[in-house]
Amino acid sequence: MAALRELPPRQRQLVVLHHLLDLPVEQVARETGASNGAVGTRLSRARKVLGARLAEDEGTGAGRPARISEEVEPWLT
């Protein structure tokens, strides 16, 4: 979850809405006022950043599994 905190707010919001709340790209676009294409592009960029960060954490042992019971709301701000 630390990697998610490091994303810019716009990217973090999209990741939360799409991947954690399981909203389709079209609904995320409506909720955020962005186009479907912009949401897809921003999600792709966010996944690259998260993947790189998580790969770094694997090398240092800093990563730890997230608890499913964690609140989602703080990630939207």
Side-chain angles (χ1 to χ4, degrees):
M1 289 299 201
L4 188 57
R5 286 187 190 105
E6 294 177 9
L7 287 177
R10 182 182 292 173
Q11 285 183 343
R12 183 174 58 240
Q13 179 186 35
L14 297 177
V15 169
V16 169
L17 292 172
H18 183 65
H19 291 291
L20 298 181
L21 297 179
D22 205 27
L23 298 180
V25 168
E26 295 79 12
Q27 188 172 353
V28 173
R30 283 193 304 271
E31 295 288 332
T32 61
S35 70
N36 292 349
V39 169
T41 298
R42 292 173 187 154
L43 283 169
S44 177
R45 290 176 182 161
R47 285 190 294 263
K48 285 181 183 180
V49 170
L50 288 171
R53 173 54 201 259
L54 294 173
E56 289 173 9
D57 285 352
E58 277 185 14
T60 63
R64 61 174 195 219
R67 294 178 301 168
I68 294 176
S69 63
E70 289 179 325
E71 294 292 325
V72 172
E73 186 64 30
W75 303 108
L76 295 174
T77 58

